[in-house]
Amino acid sequence: MFKNEFRIKSSVSIKGAEQKKLKATICKYFNLSNETLDTFLNQKQLTQLKVITHTNDIVKINCAQNVAIVFEFKNKFYPTLFMVWSFPHIFPRLKLDNDGKSQLKSASELTIKELRSNDANNEHILSSLPVDQCVSLCTISCQKIIAIGYLTIDGNSIKDSEKSRDKCLKVLHYYDDELFKSHIKSSIPDVIYTMEREFNDAPELNDKKMYSEDIQTVVNKMDELLMTCSLKALKYSIKKQMLPILASTFYKKYVMSFCPEGTELDIKKTSYKKLTSFLQLLDKEQMIKLNVSSNGIVEITQVIQSNSKLQDLNSDDNPALKENLDQFSPPVKEIYVVTPGLYPIFSEFLCRKGDKLTVPSIRKYVTEYIKKYQLQDSTNPSVVNTNNVLKKILSQRKDNTFISIKDLIEEITKLMYRTEIAVFNVETTETKKSLKKKINHIEMTVNNRSGNKKVTLVNNLELYGIDIIKFSKECQHGVAASTTINDIPNEQNRQVQIQGSQVPFVYKLLTDQYKIPVKFLRGYENHIKKK
């Protein structure tokens, strides 16, 4: 991965909550105690580099005082050589002979033949290793760890395979690659020299029993996590109207959503290995009814809510779960499409023509572009001195030699194609429905009825996924006035009618509780003008 030079995209300091989160992740992935990690870091300044490799992979490298310690690739964390030299036993170690060692610089993957050395150590360690297991590689002659990688085939398959030329191990980081040279050896040359001299006295490899126990612990924890998330999904997410539901949809959309933040749920790391095997267990324990068709399609046809395990689940025992169930997520977001005219800016951040970006992403990329080419005015940092690319984009302006950062972001946003996506919270459908076009705003109007009585009318609520019955009750209790739900001819969405002039209350309810952006509301500004 770091065989060739990589480009640093950004560098930021890690402080406060982010630093605590990173430390907790390192302790979890590498089985270290908080005290051990704190002693190792010794209050060093932590930074995160976002780099782009020669294969266009984006990797996050976490450094302590400019020394790389761990890197994140495809949402998984791996140690650098400096980290694994400091803690040799955080991952299983496999031995390489001289032929395998010579392949590290020329190939990014090792074959089964290269991993099968004459040393008996590899045989008993491989038997307990699953696929995707991170391993370190050392030489037969000494305990010097020379590479970090992960298995692409499980250990038993490597032992039993007759195809010795098949690839089985992906090498991510090795001794003397660009990461080691630029962010380890060059930063602490004296420390590295001392550590290399001590490798001959390094402790022996862990025995088979220890690794087997570690792997079994991981499997048990993953089994428990899968069962917990599945039970919550069955009780709180799957409604009767949604059945039958595909097994794959149930797992990806509902089970995974209950996985705690920072925890990875992987069905392959459980004892079941396959989702069908796990669902058959739930069927046997009478939690669900499973149907497997003749062409192999697996569906859940019924959820048996009377099962004791489902009955024992209680959201009150888990405040985070209860909050998650009650929380209303805003269903509308704006997406902008990268146009050919703006490609020179966004191509700097690996965006292509037609890619969809949110407003925060546009703001972030434009700001990074300004900093990269040092376009900020020295006397006024809020002003940008335009280069040739920006002048071409701003050709319609009379004076395009300078512009404020805020106006520049607005101008770029105006030049992009906009699409508003609304997500409907309809329980009768299996998946959420998306509408890629402009949608009507929520309208709040005050009308006069007979006897000069005023009523507030709210339209298009259901278009934004709002439960109209629940909303009318909240208005009724909030303003102590009667509410009515009206069916409007030739309209798909119903109307809520509230007695009295209640626009300010409705506005506050929609923005505070339902998190509807103000730009999708109409009628409140008219109420202000009347005042």
Side-chain angles (χ1 to χ4, degrees):
M1 179 182 292
F2 302 107
K3 180 169 62 175
N4 298 331
E5 290 187 3
F6 51 84
R7 179 165 63 90
I8 298 177
K9 185 179 178 183
S10 64
S11 175
V12 294
S13 297
I14 306 175
K15 297 179 181 179
E18 289 296 323
Q19 189 174 109
K20 290 181 181 179
K21 185 178 179 181
L22 175 62
K23 288 182 179 180
T25 303
I26 293 175
C27 290
K28 174 189 140 189
Y29 266 82
F30 305 144
N31 197 24
L32 298 173
S33 65
N34 292 326
E35 294 77 12
T36 303
L37 183 61
D38 288 338
T39 304
F40 171 68
L41 295 176
N42 195 23
Q43 297 183 346
K44 293 184 177 70
Q45 174 63 45
L46 299 181
T47 56
Q48 185 180 85
L49 306 178
K50 186 179 287 187
V51 304
I52 302 175
T53 66
H54 68 286
T55 56
N56 283 335
D57 290 319
I58 297 179
V59 183
K60 295 178 182 178
I61 303 173
N62 297 290
C63 304
Q65 216 73 29
N66 298 324
V67 180
I69 53 174
V70 297
F71 60 93
E72 182 182 354
F73 176 59
K74 293 184 178 179
N75 297 322
K76 292 186 179 180
F77 285 81
Y78 301 93
T80 63
L81 284 178
F82 175 65
M83 183 75 174
V84 85
W85 285 358
S86 303
F87 304 100
H89 295 289
I90 57 178
F91 285 119
R93 272 185 287 174
L94 302 175
K95 288 191 175 183
L96 283 180
D97 55 21
N98 291 330
D99 292 336
K101 180 182 176 182
S102 63
Q103 293 295 322
L104 288 177
K105 293 186 178 181
S106 58
S108 60
E109 291 184 287
L110 298 180
T111 63
I112 293 176
K113 180 181 179 181
E114 291 161 350
L115 206 59
R116 285 176 179 167
S117 65
N118 296 326
D119 188 83
N121 171 76
N122 285 2
E123 292 291 326
H124 71 252
I125 289 183
L126 281 172
S127 61
S128 60
L129 299 183
V131 67
D132 291 335
Q133 171 66 48
C134 181
V135 295
S136 55
L137 303 173
C138 63
T139 57
I140 291 179
S141 57
C142 70
Q143 297 296 312
K144 179 179 179 179
I145 298 172
I146 57 174
I148 301 294
Y150 65 89
L151 297 179
T152 55
I153 307 175
D154 66 271
N156 286 324
S157 299
I158 295 174
K159 285 175 57 181
D160 302 335
S161 177
E162 297 178 356
K163 300 178 181 179
S164 60
R165 294 186 179 181
D166 284 358
K167 305 290 185 182
C168 67
L169 189 142
K170 176 78 172 178
V171 178
L172 298 176
H173 169 44
Y174 64 88
Y175 181 77
D176 219 28
D177 66 3
E178 292 300 324
L179 176 61
F180 184 83
K181 290 178 184 176
S182 60
H183 287 84
I184 298 178
K185 193 171 184 177
S186 62
S187 301
I188 46 172
D190 296 337
V191 176
I192 295 300
Y193 176 73
T194 304
M195 294 177 80
E196 287 182 315
R197 290 180 59 186
E198 295 174 353
F199 275 121
N200 288 329
D201 300 325
E204 291 299 318
L205 295 171
N206 292 6
D207 58 12
K208 176 182 177 181
K209 182 179 178 182
M210 179 176 177
Y211 282 121
S212 299
E213 290 176 353
D214 290 342
I215 297 301
Q216 190 59 42
T217 302
V218 172
V219 170
N220 291 339
K221 288 183 178 179
M222 198 61 69
D223 284 353
E224 184 180 351
L225 179 62
L226 176 62
M227 180 62 76
T228 303
C229 294
S230 299
L231 291 177
K232 290 178 180 179
L234 289 171
K235 181 165 184 176
Y236 300 116
S237 296
I238 305 302
K239 308 298 180 184
K240 187 176 180 181
Q241 300 91 333
M242 299 165 61
L243 299 173
I245 183 173
L246 290 173
S248 57
T249 303
F250 168 71
Y251 178 73
K252 291 178 182 178
K253 288 200 170 186
Y254 301 105
V255 176
M256 296 288 285
S257 65
F258 283 96
C259 187
E261 186 178 355
T263 305
E264 181 187 10
L265 177 59
D266 189 347
I267 193 73
K268 293 180 181 178
K269 292 183 180 179
T270 65
S271 60
Y272 309 103
K273 302 301 180 185
K274 293 183 179 180
L275 179 61
T276 306
S277 302
F278 174 70
L279 293 178
Q280 286 172 346
L281 173 67
L282 298 185
D283 182 74
K284 186 177 179 180
E285 295 185 358
Q286 296 184 348
M287 297 184 204
I288 62 172
K289 285 190 177 180
L290 200 65
N291 177 48
V292 182
S293 63
S294 57
N295 55 1
I297 297 177
V298 183
E299 291 181 326
I300 298 174
T301 58
Q302 183 181 350
V303 178
I304 305 173
Q305 296 288 354
S306 58
N307 185 277
S308 58
K309 289 188 177 181
L310 292 174
Q311 290 288 329
D312 292 341
L313 276 181
N314 189 354
S315 62
D316 293 332
D317 298 334
N318 190 341
L321 173 61
K322 185 174 178 63
E323 182 181 350
N324 187 50
L325 291 172
D326 295 337
Q327 189 178 15
F328 180 88
S329 58
V332 180
K333 60 179 179 180
E334 288 183 293
I335 301 294
Y336 291 84
V337 179
V338 177
T339 58
L342 297 173
Y343 178 71
I345 292 180
F346 295 108
S347 62
E348 298 279 344
F349 310 100
L350 303 180
C351 295
R352 296 169 295 182
K353 298 173 187 176
D355 281 0
K356 297 175 181 178
L357 301 176
T358 59
V359 175
S361 298
I362 296 171
R363 188 181 298 111
K364 176 185 174 184
Y365 290 147
V366 172
T367 305
E368 288 185 9
Y369 181 86
I370 294 169
K371 291 180 179 178
K372 180 178 179 179
Y373 290 97
Q374 300 178 354
L375 301 178
Q376 279 182 294
D377 189 81
S378 56
T379 57
N380 187 358
S382 64
V383 174
V384 177
N385 296 318
T386 57
N387 58 7
N388 292 333
V389 173
L390 293 179
K391 285 178 181 177
K392 186 176 180 180
I393 292 172
L394 302 172
S395 58
Q396 299 297 323
R397 290 175 62 95
K398 292 182 180 179
D399 188 358
N400 59 3
T401 56
F402 61 89
I403 187 175
S404 69
I405 296 177
K406 181 181 178 182
D407 290 342
L408 176 61
I409 294 172
E410 289 180 357
E411 289 289 338
I412 290 175
T413 305
K414 288 178 183 177
L415 293 172
M416 302 178 75
Y417 300 130
R418 184 179 73 163
T419 175
E420 295 171 354
I421 299 180
V423 180
F424 290 69
N425 294 334
V426 181
E427 294 183 351
T428 56
T429 57
E430 180 181 320
T431 58
K432 292 182 179 180
K433 181 180 177 183
S434 296
L435 181 67
K436 295 187 177 180
K437 66 178 183 180
K438 290 188 177 181
I439 59 176
N440 296 326
H441 298 91
I442 295 178
E443 296 180 355
M444 299 172 286
T445 56
V446 178
N447 287 359
N448 290 325
R449 292 290 190 260
S450 59
N452 201 27
K453 292 181 180 178
K454 294 182 178 180
V455 292
T456 302
L457 304 176
V458 188
N459 296 305
N460 300 323
L461 288 170
E462 290 177 301
L463 195 61
Y464 289 76
I466 297 174
D467 185 340
I468 198 168
I469 298 176
K470 180 181 176 183
F471 180 83
S472 64
K473 288 182 179 178
E474 289 170 343
C475 293
Q476 183 179 1
H477 296 152
V479 297
S482 63
T483 59
T484 308
I485 298 176
N486 301 325
D487 290 320
I488 305 175
N490 302 323
E491 292 288 341
Q492 294 181 348
N493 297 284
R494 292 171 291 177
Q495 179 189 76
V496 174
Q497 176 181 310
I498 312 166
Q499 186 180 8
S501 179
Q502 312 296 351
V503 172
F505 175 82
V506 173
Y507 174 85
K508 185 175 178 60
L509 182 64
L510 290 172
T511 54
D512 291 354
Q513 182 171 329
Y514 288 92
K515 309 298 182 185
I516 301 295
V518 177
K519 59 185 169 184
F520 295 109
L521 303 179
R522 292 291 181 271
Y524 183 72
E525 64 280 358
N526 296 333
H527 185 78
I528 293 294
K529 288 179 182 178
K530 288 181 181 180
K531 283 188 174 182

